[in-house]
Amino acid sequence: MIATPRGVGDLTILGWVVFIAYFSVAALCYRAATVCWQDQEARKSCRVWIAIAGILVLLGVNKQLDLHVWLNAFGRKLAEAEGWYQNRELAQVVLFGGVAVVVVAACLLLIGLGWGDLRTLSGALLGVGSLAAFLLIRAISFDVIDLRTYIGGFKLHEILEVLGILLIGVSAVFYSRSVE
């Protein structure tokens, strides 16, 4: 049985603001998708906006449920039960490599989906790139290396997370207005 990990959820004011921002910006992305669906030439971009909205919802849920903490606890218990906990570094490197491949593949897929409309999607795609960097920093600093780089009193991964959400939100608003 896996016990409830301590410290699950980001219960700080910034954590709750980011949690709400994930869902608010996901709604803006959905709005951009519905607006562009009405324009025959812009329909290709709809898939990008829907995909980004889905990513934001998943990240928003994870922000307070900390599903990665549960996954880590499960992995630790499995490693202990299987007797390879002492050699877990290889598993951590493989897991990080897997996360990196998935994150990069998702970014490339979004670029591919929006290929014909990269000029108007560039801000949102930069935001996704910022969130990708945030995810990779969190993945590597979770157990292997602790990357606590501070800029202006904020952790680098916090800045990248907020910047990514902000870029996507602003892009969704501008995109919706430009297509209407």
Side-chain angles (χ1 to χ4, degrees):
M1 184 88 180
I2 298 174
T4 303
R6 288 187 184 173
V8 173
D10 187 352
L11 304 178
T12 64
I13 291 173
L14 178 63
W16 282 107
V17 168
V18 171
F19 172 75
I20 292 166
Y22 271 123
F23 290 98
S24 300
V25 173
L28 292 173
C29 291
Y30 180 76
R31 168 91 172 109
T34 58
V35 167
C36 77
W37 188 255
Q38 298 165 6
D39 183 359
Q40 191 70 18
E41 292 179 17
R43 283 197 177 170
K44 190 174 185 181
S45 300
C46 296
R47 294 179 289 190
V48 175
W49 288 114
I50 292 293
I52 293 173
I55 290 167
L56 292 174
V57 167
L58 289 174
L59 290 173
V61 167
N62 185 62
K63 186 69 179 175
Q64 291 307 340
L65 294 182
D66 277 344
L67 300 174
H68 59 281
V69 173
W70 293 88
L71 181 63
N72 188 49
F74 172 75
R76 182 175 290 120
K77 290 291 182 185
L78 179 67
E80 289 170 353
E82 297 292 322
W84 50 271
Y85 185 76
Q86 306 83 297
N87 301 320
R88 67 189 177 278
E89 290 82 13
L90 177 60
Q92 290 170 333
V93 169
V94 169
L95 180 63
F96 173 74
V99 169
V101 166
V102 168
V103 167
V104 169
C107 288
L108 292 174
L109 178 64
L110 286 174
I111 290 170
L113 286 174
W115 189 255
D117 203 10
L118 287 181
R119 187 176 54 81
T120 55
L121 292 171
S122 60
L125 293 173
L126 282 173
V128 170
S130 182
L131 287 175
F134 155 74
L135 288 172
L136 292 175
I137 288 172
R138 291 294 289 154
I140 198 167
S141 66
F142 192 60
D143 226 14
V144 182
I145 302 169
D146 193 10
L147 295 175
R148 292 191 187 253
T149 303
Y150 287 86
I151 299 173
F154 293 97
K155 295 176 188 169
L156 175 61
H157 71 269
E158 292 172 338
I159 293 169
L160 289 170
E161 183 179 28
V162 170
L163 178 64
I165 297 168
L166 184 63
L167 280 170
I168 294 167
V170 168
S171 296
V173 168
F174 279 119
Y175 187 88
S176 296
R177 289 183 180 167
S178 71
V179 175
E180 284 184 319

